[in-house]
Amino acid sequence: DEVERLFKAMDGLGTDEQTIIDVIVTKKNQQRQEIRQKYKERYNKDVMLDLKSELSGDLQEVILGLMMTPSEYDVDCLHEAMSGMRTDESMLIDILATRTPERNILKLYYLVVEYKKDLEKHIKTETSGDFKELLLELVKGQRPQGDKVDDKITDDEAKKLNKNGKGKFDKKHFKSIFTKYNNKQVPAIFEVYKKISDKDVLELIEENMKGDVKNGYICLVKSYEDPVDYYVERLHGAFDGIGTNDSRLIRILVSRSEIDLAGIKEKYKESYGKSLNEEIKSECSGDYKTALLLLVGEE
């Protein structure tokens, strides 16, 4: 029934955007993948191509993003970040710094017909210096999983980072902390470092780094310490100032919709005194606004 509704919404003259929104936004990703498959079986057409031809602008970006698998969506965003005249460093770090390492992103990036590029090579051509090296480490997907914290590792790494209060900042060692340990061990190391050095790790980054690599490490630290807080801050930045950063807004809401969006909504209102729903109503319009409000859900 849903596949038929979707087909009829795009068949003939005009497009029924509301039906497309109702069918797609209300589903979970697994159900959307079933819709993609059944649409192909029933009509011998690619629903993604049909949606792309029938929709445009921000609404198209929301709907296509929701219809992709999480890995496909990450790949699409990575490619977008490195396309055009300027590389979007913040989008690169948002994705690579906060995702569970998955080697299939490397493989999928190459397999997508439109790209046919090696992700590591693409990063090398679009970034440079320490920032490039950080991204290349993150994209390898070798970071351990789990939540086990080894107290000896915590103490040893914190002391090494502090160098007993002496010595030059070791960029190589600092980078290795993020790639060798899981996302519970890393904050534990920084907590002990703060106790023995009386300095927050963000201060250490500010003092020793600059530019994209500094911003990258700040994103990493914040995403490790509290992912919900991190996304709340990123969302507020998307709404703040003149105009809305719609790409960032869409990317966060789509990618976190089945992970921690409820927590993000709650923390956003607590932090800024305004709900996500209120922000969307005041910053977005039309079918695009309708889709985002449905995705975010009632207050």
Side-chain angles (χ1 to χ4, degrees):
D1 289 345
E2 295 290 72
V3 168
E4 186 176 346
R5 283 181 70 200
L6 196 56
F7 179 77
K8 287 180 177 178
M10 298 185 284
D11 194 30
L13 294 173
T15 305
D16 183 352
E17 286 88 355
Q18 186 59 56
T19 296
I20 293 173
I21 292 167
D22 290 341
V23 170
I24 292 173
V25 180
T26 57
K27 304 292 185 297
K28 292 189 179 295
N29 193 268
Q30 184 179 345
Q31 294 170 309
R32 296 186 198 112
Q33 301 317 308
E34 291 175 16
I35 287 173
R36 284 174 69 174
Q37 182 182 340
K38 295 291 183 184
Y39 194 95
K40 180 74 173 175
E41 290 172 2
R42 183 162 185 175
Y43 300 108
N44 197 29
K45 298 179 78 177
D46 186 339
V47 69
M48 301 295 277
L49 294 178
D50 283 356
L51 288 167
K52 196 169 184 178
S53 67
E54 295 290 330
L55 303 175
S56 61
D58 295 324
L59 178 63
Q60 182 198 74
E61 193 173 336
V62 173
I63 297 300
L64 290 178
L66 288 169
M67 288 296 288
M68 296 178 195
T69 66
S71 291
E72 282 177 331
Y73 190 55
D74 280 347
V75 164
D76 188 72
C77 290
L78 286 170
H79 185 262
E80 183 188 336
M82 294 185 285
S83 300
M85 295 293 290
R86 189 182 182 280
T87 301
D88 187 338
E89 289 86 0
S90 64
M91 190 189 295
L92 288 175
I93 204 69
D94 267 3
I95 297 165
L96 296 178
T98 59
R99 296 298 185 272
T100 301
E102 291 179 290
R103 285 186 176 275
N104 65 345
I105 288 180
L106 277 170
K107 183 179 179 182
L108 189 59
Y109 195 89
Y110 182 78
L111 291 177
V112 174
V113 177
E114 297 95 320
Y115 310 156
K116 284 295 180 188
K117 289 183 179 179
D118 181 289
L119 180 54
E120 290 174 307
K121 287 181 180 177
H122 203 175
I123 288 172
K124 287 176 183 177
T125 61
E126 297 294 330
T127 60
S128 60
D130 293 330
F131 183 63
K132 177 185 73 176
E133 296 305 317
L134 171 61
L135 294 180
L136 289 174
E137 285 296 328
L138 292 174
V139 84
K140 287 177 183 175
Q142 295 176 339
R143 186 158 29 111
Q145 296 305 290
D147 54 10
K148 185 180 178 183
V149 175
D150 185 312
D151 291 337
K152 186 177 186 309
I153 289 175
T154 299
D155 291 340
D156 290 347
E157 290 288 7
K159 288 173 184 174
K160 189 176 177 182
L161 189 60
N162 186 46
K163 292 182 177 292
N164 298 317
K166 302 174 183 178
K168 190 178 178 182
F169 177 72
D170 188 338
K171 290 189 291 186
K172 191 172 182 180
H173 170 243
F174 191 67
K175 180 176 68 177
S176 73
I177 291 173
F178 292 93
T179 55
K180 282 169 64 177
Y181 305 116
N182 67 52
N183 60 1
K184 295 295 182 185
Q185 182 81 63
V186 175
I189 293 168
F190 293 150
E191 191 62 36
V192 172
Y193 169 77
K194 186 176 181 179
K195 288 177 183 176
I196 63 177
S197 69
D198 199 28
K199 182 183 290 186
D200 189 274
V201 70
L202 293 176
E203 294 177 61
L204 184 69
I205 293 169
E206 288 281 355
E207 289 174 4
N208 292 280
M209 298 180 186
K210 59 183 179 180
D212 293 328
V213 72
K214 180 184 82 172
N215 295 332
Y217 276 114
I218 289 172
C219 284
L220 270 173
V221 170
K222 289 182 176 179
S223 68
Y224 270 74
E225 290 178 344
D226 191 330
V228 169
D229 262 355
Y230 172 75
Y231 284 113
V232 164
E233 186 179 323
R234 296 292 287 159
L235 278 171
H236 185 65
F239 291 121
D240 204 24
I242 299 170
T244 304
N245 187 332
D246 293 292
S247 286
R248 185 196 298 180
L249 173 61
I250 293 166
R251 187 174 71 253
I252 293 173
L253 295 185
V254 168
S255 64
R256 309 308 293 185
S257 61
E258 294 181 41
I259 303 174
D260 51 11
L261 187 52
I264 290 169
K265 278 173 60 181
E266 186 179 338
K267 193 62 180 282
Y268 192 94
K269 187 162 188 177
E270 182 185 310
S271 300
Y272 300 107
K274 195 174 183 180
S275 72
L276 265 180
N277 300 65
E278 290 173 304
E279 294 278 30
I280 291 167
K281 286 173 184 175
S282 64
E283 297 289 332
C284 308
S285 61
D287 294 317
Y288 168 51
K289 177 177 74 174
T290 302
L292 289 189
L293 288 173
L294 190 58
L295 181 62
V296 168
E298 296 295 327
E299 290 185 43

